[in-house]
Amino acid sequence: MKGRRVGVVVVLVLLAGCGGLVPADDGGSAPAAPGTAASLPADTTQVSVTAVVDGDTIRIEYENGTRDTVRLVGVDTPEVNAENDPAEFEGVPDTAAGEDCLREAGTNASNFAKDRLLGRTVGIATDPNLDRRGYYDRLLAYVVVDERLFNYQLVATGRARVYDSDFSRQGSFTTAETGARDARRGLWRCSDPDAADWATATATTSPSGLALVDIHEDAAGNDNQNLNDEYLVFANRGEDAVTLTGWTVTDAADHSYTFGTYSLAPGERVTLYTGSGTDTETERYWGASGAVWNNGGDTVTVRTSGGDVALRRAY
């Protein structure tokens, strides 16, 4: 059983929405767990995500059918469709290896955004310190999905650097970036690209089509007393069913779960809860006696029944 801190989510009552108002600066307080933030917009405009351009740019559609392009506030993910400048990412060497590593990181950030945003309804809100629109007339906005601030999640998991601007949440985002860089999460592994098996360590989708689309590592309250609020969500992104019978899921400390007889149909999702319950087609239960996933970072590894690594992701 792993040591845990008590996760506390503080939601401030603040103004947000179409008028361009969002929460005031959350003060840059102590960093929350990766993927969370100290405050969320109280009100957001609901939109559908129709396309993911890359890790920090998406296309959306409003309920009235109007479409727009959103550039995520406060973050900059490595480029996928253009050259990267390693000098923009502190500690990454200005070498071919550094550039290659950043491109891999950019692909990972893009896939991460597709897994969590594409085809879903999310909330958006602008920042009071910034113009509503930036370069190329893109809307500058925060994105809220699954009660998490996606912009912050990109930074805290090492998939983006903080974009230097006057946005109101710069303090907490910078703290999150420092934590990710010190822990060498995500793109910050590129500071030593020759030693980092980056692509393997951060793969989100296996050749079979199985994808890890969400990690909820920080349960409400004491993690050890709320085991079913700690979970992983897998999806089948392929065209054929994925037979998971005998496949295992492990953490960095080799705690292991084995799927029983089970097949995941194309387009379907299954949630693996850490605690106990009755297995269904969409829910599986680890049956662990204590929390498995470290709030401060861990590695999820999925292996086939034959022991081959199907996918692995560090967070």
Side-chain angles (χ1 to χ4, degrees):
M1 183 169 67
K2 301 183 179 183
R4 296 290 170 130
R5 62 174 174 75
V6 177
V8 178
V9 178
V10 180
V11 180
L12 303 180
V13 180
L14 298 159
L15 296 176
C18 293
L21 296 178
V22 294
D25 189 3
D26 52 15
S29 56
T36 65
S39 61
L40 294 175
D43 297 303
T44 57
T45 300
Q46 298 299 293
V47 300
S48 298
V49 179
T50 59
V52 171
V53 178
D54 55 28
D56 56 36
T57 306
I58 61 175
R59 294 196 175 99
I60 62 169
E61 182 175 316
Y62 294 91
E63 291 181 353
N64 65 4
T66 302
R67 297 196 171 200
D68 208 343
T69 298
V70 173
R71 176 64 168 82
L72 274 62
V73 166
V75 301
D76 182 35
T77 61
E79 299 290 344
V80 175
N81 303 309
E83 295 299 319
N84 285 292
D85 181 3
E88 294 180 345
F89 299 87
E90 184 176 341
V92 177
D94 189 6
T95 63
E99 292 179 13
D100 290 344
C101 186
L102 285 174
R103 186 171 296 279
E104 290 287 347
T107 298
N108 178 265
S110 180
N111 288 338
F112 185 72
K114 290 175 183 177
D115 285 340
R116 281 155 178 74
L117 304 180
L118 187 59
R120 299 190 62 185
T121 298
V122 303
I124 61 170
T126 54
D127 190 295
N129 289 4
L130 302 176
D131 293 335
R132 286 179 57 85
R133 295 192 174 274
Y135 295 120
Y136 312 114
D137 197 36
R138 297 176 297 190
L139 180 67
L140 302 178
Y142 295 104
V143 173
V144 177
V145 62
D146 296 329
E147 298 184 358
R148 295 185 175 193
L149 194 63
F150 186 72
N151 311 49
Y152 181 93
Q153 192 174 14
L154 286 171
V155 175
T157 58
R159 290 181 169 87
R161 71 181 180 96
V162 175
Y163 187 82
D164 188 19
S165 70
D166 294 327
F167 71 105
S168 61
R169 293 171 177 260
Q170 186 174 33
S172 61
F173 275 48
T174 299
T175 300
E177 181 193 281
T178 299
R181 190 169 63 245
D182 289 347
R184 293 186 63 192
R185 296 190 195 109
L187 72 87
W188 304 112
R189 298 182 185 194
C190 295
S191 60
D192 187 10
D194 294 326
D197 188 4
W198 201 95
T200 299
T202 58
T204 59
T205 305
S206 75
S208 68
L210 183 70
L212 177 57
V213 298
D214 192 19
I215 301 173
H216 196 263
E217 74 286 345
D218 187 11
N222 187 320
D223 291 13
N224 290 305
Q225 297 175 4
N226 192 12
L227 297 179
N228 284 339
D229 195 34
E230 182 184 87
Y231 55 83
L232 307 176
V233 181
F234 295 96
N236 183 355
R237 300 298 196 199
E239 298 180 356
D240 301 312
V242 179
T243 300
L244 297 177
T245 305
W247 287 37
T248 60
V249 180
T250 59
D251 66 353
D254 288 331
H255 297 98
S256 181
Y257 167 82
T258 302
F259 280 97
T261 303
Y262 184 68
S263 180
L264 188 62
E268 296 299 317
R269 294 187 176 203
V270 61
T271 302
L272 175 58
Y273 296 97
T274 296
S276 298
T278 302
D279 288 343
T280 68
E281 289 300 306
T282 58
E283 298 175 334
R284 295 280 146 161
Y285 294 87
W286 191 301
S289 59
V292 172
W293 305 109
N294 282 326
N295 294 343
D298 211 328
T299 300
V300 181
T301 302
V302 180
R303 290 182 172 85
T304 67
S305 57
D308 296 325
V309 174
L311 65 84
R312 176 180 291 132
R313 192 170 87 218
Y315 67 86

